[in-house]
Amino acid sequence: MLLLAFGIISVALVLWLLHRMNNTDAEIQKLALNLSFIRYTMWLLGQVVLSSLTVTRLVWGSRKELKPTIGKLPVNKVPKKSRVLYANSITLTPGTLCIDIDNENVTIHALNEESLHSLKRGDMADKVPGENKGVS
Amino acid sequence: MIEIISSVFLIVGAFFSLTGAVGIFKFPDFFTRVHAASVTDSISTILIIFGLILRTDFDLVAVKLLFILIFMLLTSPTASHALAKSARHGGLLTLAETRSDKKVGDD
Amino acid sequence: MLVLSATCIAILSVMALALARALKADTVYDRILGVNMFGTKTALFIALMGFLSGRPDFLDIAIVYALINFLGMIAVLRFFEYTAGDENQEQEK
């Protein structure tokens, strides 16, 4: 009981401190945890498995197959609130790495050109959830 | 039966993890090494944690493991993005750019 | 049990390799990469160790370790993002 009281007191203290710091975000941006998000997660897990098999082949193979490239992709099509999710998904799949992101472009470093091309075709940009609300 | 599936998950996860560790020694420059480390961060974490979840009784322990998995999947891309961004701002060049510099210098 | 021990040994050797990378590196970013990999593998290793010794309470420690590792990594990178650029500029001058 005492421990529970301590827990409640510390939560209240943190909330009060955050309120005092005036640091609460007025603009709530949350992604809905609905069916399309779950479907996207499943698709992303499949992509992670596929691309890590590619990187594994590159690691155990010869060094000549390694052609690291760097490129810029437009990010206009992706709605604003799921851009962080998009960049995080790019970095999560092995073989592509998001270096920089601003309002128009993401800079991407890729281990071979095929993975950069498949990103350029916009497979992942089409599948990122969040556009169905129409607010974006 | 479940134990066999879990063993397969654990061993494949350990294999991917070793792959990444070999990769960070074998790859030629910093940005490619980040890719090798991201293999161990993403797929081997997924496989090993799922292998451990199959060994639980699907109670609070499984929920805790799921928390670890979600947290790692959220933070490890953020950490490697921050690493790559700060390396880029610190003035590190990628392999392709160093090569093209050399070509320009040779010409 | 055998599989768990084998996975533990594999993770331990990965941790050793990551530390070796961090000790024997060209740039400071390679060191941070090695230390980051070491930290994430440590969280996994603690979770595995809890299962190996039959005490799943270790998972709490693993969660805390993952949190601290991420925060420490971001703090170190914040530090180096600004100081490394300054050093380069000083060298150019």
Side-chain angles (χ1 to χ4, degrees):
Chain A
M1 204 58 207
L2 182 70
L3 288 178
L4 275 181
F6 278 156
I8 291 169
I9 289 172
S10 60
V11 166
L13 186 68
V14 167
L15 280 178
W16 178 69
L17 276 178
L18 275 181
H19 188 68
R20 235 187 86 123
M21 280 157 70
N22 208 2
N23 212 2
T24 40
D25 203 351
E27 188 180 0
I28 301 173
Q29 297 191 341
K30 62 177 180 187
L31 287 171
L33 194 68
N34 50 17
L35 199 67
S36 72
F37 184 74
I38 293 170
R39 208 186 301 137
Y40 176 70
T41 315
M42 289 300 143
W43 179 80
L44 187 66
L45 284 184
Q47 275 322 96
V48 166
V49 171
L50 285 182
S51 54
S52 47
L53 283 178
T54 316
V55 178
T56 310
R57 217 169 45 237
L58 282 176
V59 168
W60 296 108
S62 74
R63 275 172 83 154
K64 281 173 192 155
E65 293 171 42
L66 208 64
K67 288 195 195 70
T69 46
I70 195 162
K72 277 194 173 185
L73 291 189
V75 79
N76 296 326
K77 273 192 290 181
V78 183
K80 241 182 192 141
K81 63 179 181 178
S82 51
R83 269 179 204 169
V84 173
L85 180 66
Y86 180 55
N88 239 355
S89 318
I90 287 175
T91 316
L92 184 66
T93 49
T96 50
L97 170 70
C98 167
I99 292 180
D100 214 340
I101 181 164
D102 54 18
N103 275 332
E104 287 108 33
N105 290 308
V106 282
T107 312
I108 289 172
H109 184 267
L111 261 191
N112 52 7
E113 284 163 12
E114 291 143 36
S115 41
L116 192 63
H117 279 307
S118 76
L119 276 179
K120 266 186 186 156
R121 259 184 275 126
D123 296 348
M124 192 177 274
D126 290 343
K127 286 205 171 62
V128 166
E131 64 264 56
N132 46 5
K133 292 283 184 287
V135 188
S136 68
Chain B
M1 186 60 202
I2 280 181
E3 187 147 352
I4 295 173
I5 300 174
S6 146
S7 305
V8 169
F9 271 30
L10 284 178
I11 287 184
V12 176
F15 167 72
F16 274 117
S17 179
L18 278 174
T19 303
V22 170
I24 60 170
F25 277 93
K26 205 177 167 188
F27 278 174
D29 80 323
F30 169 74
F31 287 97
T32 47
R33 275 180 220 137
V34 176
H35 290 292
S38 108
V39 174
T40 66
D41 275 349
S42 59
I43 187 141
S44 96
T45 309
I46 293 173
L47 284 175
I48 289 181
I49 298 266
F50 265 115
L52 287 181
I53 284 178
L54 288 180
R55 281 176 186 249
T56 59
D57 304 330
F58 300 100
D59 51 354
L60 188 65
V61 178
V63 176
K64 276 181 194 168
L65 278 170
L66 211 59
F67 273 163
I68 296 180
L69 179 64
I70 291 173
F71 186 75
M72 278 192 166
L73 286 188
L74 281 180
T75 56
S76 75
T78 316
S80 35
H81 166 74
L83 189 57
K85 194 179 171 186
S86 92
R88 190 98 177 129
H89 286 195
L92 218 63
L93 286 177
T94 63
L95 197 63
E97 283 165 347
T98 355
R99 271 182 196 157
S100 62
D101 280 358
K102 268 183 195 165
K103 268 181 197 165
V104 170
D106 288 344
D107 290 342
Chain C
M1 205 50 116
L2 188 71
V3 178
L4 275 179
S5 325
T7 318
C8 265
I9 291 170
I11 297 281
L12 264 183
S13 48
V14 170
M15 281 161 70
L17 284 172
L19 262 193
R21 178 79 247 173
L23 287 176
K24 185 175 159 295
D26 311 326
T27 59
V28 70
Y29 303 109
D30 276 314
R31 286 181 210 275
I32 300 175
L33 183 69
V35 172
N36 184 18
M37 199 166 152
F38 182 79
T40 49
K41 289 304 110 175
T42 309
L44 268 187
F45 178 71
I46 294 172
L48 271 170
M49 211 50 213
F51 274 79
L52 196 62
S53 61
R55 283 188 296 178
D57 310 332
F58 274 36
L59 286 178
D60 296 332
I61 307 174
I63 292 176
V64 171
Y65 202 94
L67 276 164
I68 291 176
N69 178 48
F70 175 63
L71 284 185
M73 209 45 60
I74 293 299
V76 167
L77 283 172
R78 267 287 138 196
F79 178 66
F80 275 109
E81 189 168 357
Y82 295 116
T83 52
D86 291 347
E87 275 170 17
N88 280 350
Q89 281 168 7
E90 277 166 20
Q91 278 172 6
E92 279 168 15
K93 280 171 192 170

